[in-house]
Amino acid sequence: MVGTAAAAAARRSAAAAAVSLASVAALALAAPVAAAAPIPLPHHWSGDGLVGAGHHAAGPRTPVGPYLPAGHGPAAPALAVGDHLTVTVRHSGSARTDGTFELYCHPGGGNHPHVKGACAKLDGMTRWGRDPFAAVPQGSNCTMMYGGPATAHVTGTWAGRPVNADFRRTNGCEIDRWGRFEPLLPSTRS
């Protein structure tokens, strides 16, 4: 009897383990692939091209060798392996900072007034599993201060992910968010 009870307990334990393993496999298959897409690790530009980990490291080269900054070599589609953002700023208080600017990073280029600083700032904000362009969460307690009529719209690709973000200076949280993105976004007169 003791042997029969032990054998039955062993069968139940094996069946429970098989069910658990099947459940884990089903959950893994059901997880959306996009949620598992990695944000690349840091990388840098050297004379030999882009090096380090990340989605840019093994990208194609231009027909003439290493990558070239925007406007210095092949057309932009050949440079599409790096990060590219289009920044449109309105009502910033300065004709110099209002307008639409192209920013290329990895390698740096475009007509943005602060290519190097903006790329470095965004690199520093990029973290695994976090969207650096995320909006202020709804329901946040924000000071009721007005930072002016400036608005910005940023589109493109950063760290292999699509970007479509709006910025404004309508309360303390939005002003703080804008400030975290300087020099990608211009410093404004409040």
Side-chain angles (χ1 to χ4, degrees):
M1 283 237 105
V2 172
T4 320
R11 281 193 302 275
R12 282 192 303 270
S13 178
V19 168
S20 294
L21 185 58
S23 299
V24 169
L27 287 173
L29 291 174
V33 175
I39 294 177
L41 298 173
H43 48 271
H44 67 276
W45 179 254
S46 75
D48 296 328
L50 202 59
V51 296
H55 72 282
H56 307 292
R61 299 210 177 262
T62 63
V64 293
Y67 294 103
L68 298 172
H72 295 87
L79 298 172
V81 296
D83 296 311
H84 170 245
L85 297 173
T86 301
V87 182
T88 303
V89 179
R90 304 228 186 283
H91 313 294
S92 68
S94 169
R96 185 180 62 80
T97 57
D98 278 356
T100 299
F101 304 95
E102 300 294 325
L103 175 68
Y104 291 87
C105 298
H106 316 111
N111 67 345
H112 190 280
H114 304 287
V115 171
K116 189 174 182 179
C119 291
K121 180 68 167 187
L122 290 170
D123 280 340
M125 294 172 69
T126 303
R127 299 282 183 264
W128 179 270
R130 292 200 177 162
D131 178 7
F133 295 92
V136 173
Q138 285 187 335
S140 295
N141 290 324
C142 304
T143 58
M144 295 179 65
M145 83 180 6
Y146 181 65
T151 62
H153 184 73
V154 180
T155 59
T157 303
W158 182 258
R161 303 268 179 139
V163 174
N164 186 7
D166 290 306
F167 295 84
R168 57 193 181 277
R169 300 175 54 82
T170 54
N171 62 46
C173 297
E174 294 289 351
I175 293 169
D176 182 59
R177 179 174 176 242
W178 183 293
R180 286 193 310 267
F181 280 87
E182 292 176 6
L184 174 68
L185 302 178
S187 178
T188 63
R189 293 185 233 158
S190 294

